[in-house]
Structures are given as structure tokens and as C-alpha cells.
Amino acid sequence: MAGIRSPIAVVVGHVDVGKTLLLDKIRGTAVAYREPGMITQHIGMSFVPWGAVERFAGPLVDRLRLRGRIWIPGFLFIDTPGHAAFSNLRKRGGSVADVAVLVVDITSGLEEQGLESLNLIRARGVPFVIAANKLDRIYGWQSEENRPFLFAVERQEWHAVAQLEEQIGRLIDQLSRLGIEADRYDRVRDFATQVPIVPTSAVTGEGVADLLLVLAGVSQRFVSKERLTVRDGPARGVVMEVKEERGLGTVADVIIYDGVLRRGDTVVTAGLQGPITAKVKMLIVPKPLDEMRDPEDRYKYVDEVRAAVGVRIVGEGLEGVVPGAPIVAVEGSLEEAVKAVGEEIAAVKIESDKEGVVAKADTFGTLESMVLFLRQSNIPVRRADVGPPSHKDVVEAALSRRRDPAYGAILAFNVRVPPEVEKEAQSSGVKIVRGEILYKVVDEYLRWANELKA
Ligand code: GTP
Ligand code: MG
């Protein structure tokens, strides 16, 4: 049966801003406390039904006049351990994420990886809201468990409100320098041009109701019903992570955003060399919290999953699959599925004889983000591919260099550079810029190119 699914809402931001704890508060669980070192280990996906939000946010629903006006069934939240994960949520022409929550620490503003997330959100055209978290850290703030922000702010002493306004003002300034108009959500006049900022505390739960309601409003206004309509056909999704699991072999964690995936299905996905065909042996999903007896007993096996959902696939032939690759279940012609996946992957890569830099990244998702970002920065790309820099990359960069020295460079994102390639690059006068933050790699390249010209 076709129907409207919940929007997929990805939660992004700098390390330690409170993404996991915020989601945890939303679910009313203690998942964050079970994670080693409190760092997100897996792509966690959790469904929050609208009914629960309405019960939780009660009086605020009325104050914002939203009662009876929400038609999304809820949210599917995806927690991410970093911006690379957001990149891998790719699909042709955009992101699997329908909306994003950019979490920042209200006391420190936008930090390095927050900025990176913001760049990626904008490059992929995903509507977003900002959670200004750690509200309870505002000096003099009087907290009350789970109170909506709008009610809480009315009860504060003037100096706490002044502090809050100062921090939010700083964040607004910071965003405005990046060309983004933003304001405290209750002061936003036009959601089409201004990004709402919702002060939250993942510790006290204050502002969480506001965040959910604002996110619902933004989702309904900026995500089309067509995009949220699921079909009954074969599954379509994206690979987030591939790893070896003891006793299971190679497993792939994927997000299915359309259709149905069944045990026994043949799927087509992709690796470095092109399309890969695999067979689904098992489907594993996290257990609902009430069925979980102890923290070890976290998963269950199912026969089928329906979009939108996060699922772990145990399969034959998944070795070598690269994150960010599309995954489609085959119904009918295998050849056609292989061709479609092949074309999609080819569209992410670049192979040309034009002058421009060489781009290398660890996954299809990060590569696509990188190419998008380079285009926006008006840097031409001669060649773009997944994997560490190789002999061929140095040769291509050296060819580009002959026409314009500024293009004799390899930009390597999230990949290691083999020592022999490093040496070869040096002797051919090819510059290798490496890093884990995309905009910094690009900035460093531009600085180098400008110095050449000077
Ligand atoms: P990564 O997954 O590592 O990127 O971090 P994260 O963004 O998921 O942050 P996490 O939820 O793990 O929280 C990091 C730390 O900040 C923990 O010690 C939390 O207790 C603390 N923290 C998170 N939210 C709040 C908040 O609203 N107020 C206060 N005071 N502390 C918070
Ligand atoms: Mg986390």
C-alpha cells in the first residue's frame, strides 16, 4: 500500500554538542549512556510517532496553533557520528535526509564540524532547523524538566534572558556572515528565507517540544508529499556502512527510503570497480526498546522491511561495497538494475582530459560532496574517484599541471596517501592536500594556488 511515510530527519553537528543525548531525550531512552565513551558508534535510526510528540508537547501545540494540522506520521531520526555520515546519505540529485537538525552548543556557537555539516546541508539542498543546545548552561537559567522553551523563557530572571539573547545574537551574526538569515524561532517572520533557531537542553529536556514542532512545520512546508510517498515496489536505499561482523561475515548497514526489502532478494549495489550483485541472507533491525532485555540483546531478525527504515543486511557478495553506494532490490531484469546502478556511480565520478584538480575521497558520498563543493568554489575537476591517491592520479595531475600549474594538485579527503605516491607526487611537482574537513582541504588548496600565482 502506498502511503505517506515519516520524513527522515538527520541530526548533525560538531563533536559533543549533544546530538545523541538530544535524540535520546526525544526517545526517552538512555542509549547515549550505553555507548562507549559516549561517542556514536552506529548510525542509529529511531522512529518517533506524531501522537507521542503531541502528548509530550501538549500546551505548546495549542499555543503554536498546530493541533489537527500535522499530517506527517512522525519522524525517523538518524544520529550521525560526523559529517562523513551525512555525505553518505546521498541519492541521485540530493540527500536521503528530508530535513536536518543542525545542533550547536549555545555557549560556543558554530564550530569546525558544525560549519562543515552546514556546508553539506546547503550543498545538498536539505531544509534545516538549528537546535542551540545546552541551554541549561546559560548562567542563571532556572530549569524545569521538559518545559517548552516559550514557557520557560517567560519565567526567567532578566539577566538569564540577557545572557541567552547575547549567545543567540552571536550565533545569528556568525550565520549572517555565511549568508544565512536566522532568528530565534518565535521571531521568524518568513520560514522560506529565515532559518529557525530553537534553544534546547538535552539534559533538562527544555525546548525539545519546540524543536519537534518547528521541525514538523518545516517538514510539512518544505518537503513535498510526493517525496514522502512510498511505493510497494522493490527497495531503494543507500549504503551507510560496510563491515565484518564475527559469525556473520560482511554486513552492510543501509537506509531504505522507498519500497520493500525481503530476505532472499537479489540486490545491486556498488564497489570501487562498479556494480556488485549480492543476495540478502538475513535482515537485522534494532529491537523495540520494550523488547530489549539487556543491552547485549539489541537486534532481531525479520523477513522484510518497508521504507523508510534502517536495516543491517547479512548477504552473500557484499565484500568490497563502498559506503554512499546506491542499493536496489532486483525485481525483473538484473541487467537493468546493474545498468542503473552503474550509471548512477559513473555520474559521481569524473574522468576527463580537461585541466583541473584530481579529487579523491573515501566513499561515494564524500566524493560527491567534494565535487559539489569544488564546483561551488569554481575549482575545475579533471578526475574524481573513490580510494587513496594512486600512480594514475599523480600522472593525471602532472598532465593538468603542464597546462596550468595551479591545477597540478590532488585533493585527498579522508584517505591516506601511500608513501610511494607521496614521493612520486613530490618529484613530479604535484601538490597533495589531505584532510578530514572538506572546506579546510579546499581552503588549503586555494591558499597554495594563490601563492603560486603571486
Ligand atoms: P558525538 O556523537 O561524539 O559527535 O557527540 P554528540 O553530539 O552526540 O554529544 P553527546 O550527546 O554524546 O553529548 C556530549 C556531552 O555533552 C555529554 O557529556 C553530555 O552529557 C553533554 N550534553 C549534551 N547535551 C547537553 C545539554 O543540553 N546540557 C548540558 N549541560 N550538557 C549536555
Ligand atoms: Mg553522538
Side-chain angles (χ1 to χ4, degrees):
M1 62 189 168
I4 297 276
R5 64 165 172 79
S6 299
I8 297 175
V10 65
V11 181
V12 294
H14 195 72
V15 179
D16 273 358
V17 289
K19 301 179 289 295
T20 303
L21 204 63
L22 200 53
L23 273 182
D24 192 37
K25 197 74 193 176
I26 289 172
R27 274 172 307 180
T29 72
V31 174
Y33 291 99
R34 280 206 299 265
E35 283 174 336
M38 298 284 274
I39 291 183
T40 308
Q41 298 284 314
H42 307 287
I43 304 299
M45 200 174 205
S46 35
F47 174 62
V48 179
W50 182 254
V53 175
E54 246 183 34
R55 275 194 299 279
F56 176 72
L60 189 66
V61 177
D62 295 319
R63 170 119 168 217
L64 298 178
R65 278 173 261 140
L66 285 175
R67 197 166 297 277
R69 291 170 63 185
I70 299 299
W71 46 258
I72 53 170
F75 297 106
L76 267 159
F77 281 106
I78 302 181
D79 191 4
T80 63
H83 53 272
F86 179 74
S87 288
N88 285 335
L89 281 169
R90 60 163 300 283
K91 70 175 181 189
R92 193 167 231 168
S95 176
V96 169
D98 301 301
V99 284
V101 178
L102 174 63
V103 185
V104 303
D105 182 331
I106 199 168
T107 61
S108 40
L110 207 50
E111 294 160 275
E112 204 169 70
Q113 282 169 38
L115 186 56
E116 180 84 330
S117 305
L118 181 61
N119 284 332
L120 294 170
I121 289 171
R122 291 169 93 193
R124 296 269 164 97
V126 180
F128 68 105
V129 305
I130 295 173
N133 195 40
K134 307 201 180 179
L135 172 63
D136 58 288
R137 290 242 180 108
I138 295 285
Y139 187 72
W141 188 264
Q142 304 283 329
S143 288
E144 188 182 299
E145 193 76 12
N146 294 339
R147 188 162 51 175
F149 169 76
L150 276 194
F151 303 148
V153 74
E154 288 166 355
R155 299 295 165 84
Q156 304 299 318
E157 306 271 356
W158 70 268
H159 57 92
V161 176
Q163 261 270 307
L164 171 75
E165 294 298 354
E166 192 182 323
Q167 298 299 344
I168 290 185
R170 269 193 210 164
L171 183 58
I172 291 172
D173 285 348
Q174 212 183 356
L175 290 161
S176 120
R177 282 195 295 277
L178 298 167
I180 296 171
E181 249 194 84
D183 212 337
R184 208 173 90 180
Y185 88 87
D186 50 314
R187 295 181 188 136
V188 168
R189 296 242 175 91
D190 180 5
F191 284 87
T193 56
Q194 286 173 293
V195 179
I197 299 173
V198 186
T200 58
S201 167
V203 167
T204 68
E206 286 166 293
V208 170
D210 310 64
L211 179 64
L212 291 168
L213 298 191
V214 171
L215 193 61
V218 166
S219 301
Q220 292 200 163
R221 175 125 182 240
F222 300 107
V223 186
S224 69
K225 271 194 176 163
E226 191 197 337
R227 192 179 152 108
L228 295 178
T229 302
V230 278
R231 305 159 309 126
D232 242 356
R236 281 192 288 178
V238 65
V239 177
M240 296 302 291
E241 208 177 337
V242 182
K243 58 190 165 197
E244 289 297 314
E245 282 284 312
R246 221 175 353 154
L248 294 176
T250 309
V251 301
D253 288 349
V254 309
I255 288 169
I256 304 295
Y257 58 83
D258 197 12
V260 182
L261 183 65
R262 295 186 177 84
R263 200 153 58 93
D265 275 354
T266 298
V267 291
V268 178
T269 174
L272 290 181
Q273 315 306 330
I276 288 176
T277 303
K279 187 132 186 126
V280 179
K281 285 203 304 200
M282 288 183 246
L283 293 170
I284 306 175
V285 295
K287 266 194 181 169
L289 292 158
D290 51 352
E291 283 179 28
M292 221 186 276
R293 272 174 297 277
D294 64 78
E296 294 298 303
D297 175 40
R298 290 168 62 173
Y299 299 106
K300 69 175 188 183
Y301 297 84
V302 293
D303 286 331
E304 66 170 54
V305 288
R306 188 173 287 271
V309 69
V311 63
R312 171 165 294 176
I313 299 176
V314 180
E316 243 168 57
L318 289 172
E319 298 78 17
V321 172
V322 173
I327 182 163
V328 298
V330 180
E331 196 184 69
S333 160
L334 173 64
E335 252 169 54
E336 253 170 55
V338 169
K339 190 166 157 243
V341 168
E343 280 169 3
E344 186 173 335
I345 287 311
V348 177
K349 299 182 185 187
I350 295 174
E351 209 148 335
S352 75
D353 51 13
K354 291 197 289 254
E355 58 195 36
V357 299
V358 174
K360 299 301 296 261
D362 59 336
T363 71
F364 289 116
T366 52
L367 185 70
E368 191 178 60
S369 297
M370 193 170 177
V371 170
L372 260 172
F373 202 51
L374 288 168
R375 282 213 180 106
Q376 286 177 347
S377 315
N378 291 317
I379 301 169
V381 181
R382 176 186 177 92
R383 175 177 158 78
D385 205 351
V386 177
S390 63
H391 166 69
K392 175 144 171 65
D393 296 321
V394 178
V395 172
E396 293 290 322
L399 284 170
S400 233
R401 179 173 177 266
R402 271 199 236 153
R403 291 195 230 160
D404 185 338
Y407 296 142
I410 300 173
L411 279 59
F413 177 68
N414 256 355
V415 285
R416 289 184 41 180
V417 182
E420 67 276 10
V421 174
E422 184 80 66
K423 227 181 259 165
E424 193 188 344
Q426 258 167 24
S427 57
S428 339
V430 167
K431 169 82 175 168
I432 299 184
V433 186
R434 212 203 69 85
E436 266 84 45
I437 302 273
L438 201 45
Y439 75 86
K440 286 192 144 187
V441 172
V442 174
D443 280 354
E444 193 186 327
Y445 162 73
L446 286 173
R447 216 170 317 126
W448 171 81
N450 285 333
E451 272 168 23
L452 272 189
K453 283 179 189 143

PDB file of all heavy atoms in Angstrom, residues 20 38-40 79, ligand 2:
ATOM      1  N   THR A  20      23.426  12.988  20.266  1.00  0.00           N
ATOM      2  CA  THR A  20      22.909  11.707  20.741  1.00  0.00           C
ATOM      3  C   THR A  20      22.023  11.889  21.974  1.00  0.00           C
ATOM      4  O   THR A  20      20.939  11.306  22.061  1.00  0.00           O
ATOM      5  CB  THR A  20      24.080  10.746  21.049  1.00  0.00           C
ATOM      6  OG1 THR A  20      24.870  10.617  19.866  1.00  0.00           O
ATOM      7  CG2 THR A  20      23.589   9.383  21.472  1.00  0.00           C
ATOM      8  N   MET A  38      30.624   7.589  25.070  1.00  0.00           N
ATOM      9  CA  MET A  38      29.537   8.472  24.648  1.00  0.00           C
ATOM     10  C   MET A  38      29.645   8.890  23.184  1.00  0.00           C
ATOM     11  O   MET A  38      29.055   9.867  22.765  1.00  0.00           O
ATOM     12  CB  MET A  38      29.495   9.750  25.501  1.00  0.00           C
ATOM     13  CG  MET A  38      29.242   9.512  26.958  1.00  0.00           C
ATOM     14  SD  MET A  38      27.537   9.135  27.305  1.00  0.00           S
ATOM     15  CE  MET A  38      26.877  10.793  27.473  1.00  0.00           C
ATOM     16  N   ILE A  39      30.421   8.186  22.413  1.00  0.00           N
ATOM     17  CA  ILE A  39      30.536   8.549  21.010  1.00  0.00           C
ATOM     18  C   ILE A  39      29.663   7.622  20.177  1.00  0.00           C
ATOM     19  O   ILE A  39      29.626   6.423  20.418  1.00  0.00           O
ATOM     20  CB  ILE A  39      32.007   8.487  20.548  1.00  0.00           C
ATOM     21  CG1 ILE A  39      32.765   9.626  21.235  1.00  0.00           C
ATOM     22  CG2 ILE A  39      32.122   8.579  19.035  1.00  0.00           C
ATOM     23  CD1 ILE A  39      34.189   9.749  20.855  1.00  0.00           C
ATOM     24  N   THR A  40      28.941   8.212  19.244  1.00  0.00           N
ATOM     25  CA  THR A  40      28.030   7.423  18.434  1.00  0.00           C
ATOM     26  C   THR A  40      28.781   6.384  17.613  1.00  0.00           C
ATOM     27  O   THR A  40      29.660   6.707  16.845  1.00  0.00           O
ATOM     28  CB  THR A  40      27.251   8.353  17.495  1.00  0.00           C
ATOM     29  OG1 THR A  40      26.691   9.370  18.286  1.00  0.00           O
ATOM     30  CG2 THR A  40      26.162   7.609  16.772  1.00  0.00           C
ATOM     31  N   ASP A  79      20.904   9.557  13.788  1.00  0.00           N
ATOM     32  CA  ASP A  79      22.015  10.152  14.520  1.00  0.00           C
ATOM     33  C   ASP A  79      23.268   9.950  13.680  1.00  0.00           C
ATOM     34  O   ASP A  79      23.433   8.907  13.059  1.00  0.00           O
ATOM     35  CB  ASP A  79      22.164   9.419  15.864  1.00  0.00           C
ATOM     36  CG  ASP A  79      23.116  10.121  16.807  1.00  0.00           C
ATOM     37  OD1 ASP A  79      23.613  11.216  16.470  1.00  0.00           O
ATOM     38  OD2 ASP A  79      23.361   9.566  17.895  1.00  0.00           O
TER      39      ASP A  79
HETATM   40 MG    MG B   2      26.716  11.158  19.340  1.00  0.00          MG
END
